[in-house]
Amino acid sequence: MPSEKILENKKAMVEKLAERLKGAQAGVLADYRGLTVQEDTELRRKLREAGVEYTVLKNSIIRFAVKEVGLDGLNDVLEGPTAIATSDSDVVSPAKVLCDFAKQNDLLEIKGGFVDGEVISIDEVKKYASIPSKEVLISKMMGSLQSPISALARTLQAIVTEEATPGHSAETSAEEAPAEEASSEAPAAE
């Protein structure tokens, strides 16, 4: 039987993970078995850059934590080594980084995930991974908003430039054209 100190340590780990899961917008579970130290370090670096917290824990600790927060559906995937990646600010980041890394490295296997307290399947994790990043979506939206305004500004500038040309205006050129045609025909008739 484990000592009291070990039990207290495990309870603290479960509580900490449960708080992390409660505060997370999204999370992905993966099997990292077979990754080299270099590959694991690279994966952790990419996750850190994306603002994703990544840890490897025993399935028993994860099992107790998911039960506490109501994500019991994840119990089905808690077989073998399990790493958990969570983000409290971005729904897409954990799925995107892990799925992109899994495409380059066959040894990383996505097991499942959750979004906003709901368990999602591997296919749904892949759908989230295909969503462009927050920055890309914001820039696309800004481009869409800016495009009509830019076109209006260019049109107004063209009108101003045309009217500002010395000796040239829309009214003058319309009046001068017929008068020039008439004067060029008049000498030929004499």
Side-chain angles (χ1 to χ4, degrees):
M1 185 165 163
S3 69
E4 289 293 319
K5 188 174 182 178
I6 293 172
L7 285 176
E8 290 301 317
N9 189 20
K10 287 184 178 184
K11 285 180 183 178
M13 290 173 71
V14 169
E15 288 176 22
K16 184 177 177 181
L17 180 59
E19 285 301 314
R20 180 174 148 197
L21 294 174
K22 284 179 189 175
Q25 286 190 4
V28 176
L29 282 78
D31 183 344
Y32 60 92
R33 191 177 3 199
L35 293 179
T36 65
V37 172
Q38 183 180 3
E39 291 166 339
D40 187 55
T41 303
E42 180 185 347
L43 174 61
R44 288 175 185 268
R45 181 186 53 78
K46 288 179 180 183
L47 288 164
R48 211 176 8 261
E49 288 172 357
V52 177
E53 190 174 347
Y54 176 82
T55 51
V56 175
L57 295 165
K58 288 188 171 196
N59 288 333
S60 59
I61 292 174
I62 298 172
R63 206 172 266 116
F64 283 118
V66 297
K67 182 178 181 182
E68 190 174 315
V69 296
L71 294 170
D72 295 330
L74 292 175
N75 284 330
D76 299 339
V77 299
L78 295 176
E79 299 288 326
T82 304
I84 184 166
T86 59
S87 175
D88 57 357
S89 62
D90 189 2
V91 175
V92 176
S93 292
K96 182 173 262 332
V97 174
L98 286 173
C99 286
D100 287 348
F101 192 83
K103 286 178 189 174
Q104 300 167 1
N105 194 318
D106 295 338
L107 297 175
L108 183 70
E109 179 187 336
I110 306 299
K111 292 182 169 187
F114 65 93
V115 173
D116 292 328
E118 298 293 322
V119 176
I120 60 174
S121 68
I122 296 170
D123 293 333
E124 290 171 308
V125 170
K126 290 178 182 177
K127 284 181 185 176
Y128 276 99
S130 67
I131 297 172
S133 69
K134 190 177 188 179
E135 291 78 22
V136 171
L137 290 174
I138 289 172
S139 65
K140 283 183 177 183
M141 185 182 80
M142 294 306 292
S144 297
L145 292 174
Q146 187 179 8
S147 179
I149 295 170
S150 298
L152 176 64
R154 284 191 300 274
T155 303
L156 291 175
Q157 185 61 42
I159 292 171
V160 168
T161 304
E162 188 175 292
E163 288 179 1
T165 306
H168 182 69
S169 72
E171 294 172 2
T172 332
S173 48
E175 292 172 3
E176 289 177 0
E180 288 177 8
E181 288 176 14
S183 64
S184 62
E185 291 175 11
E190 285 180 30

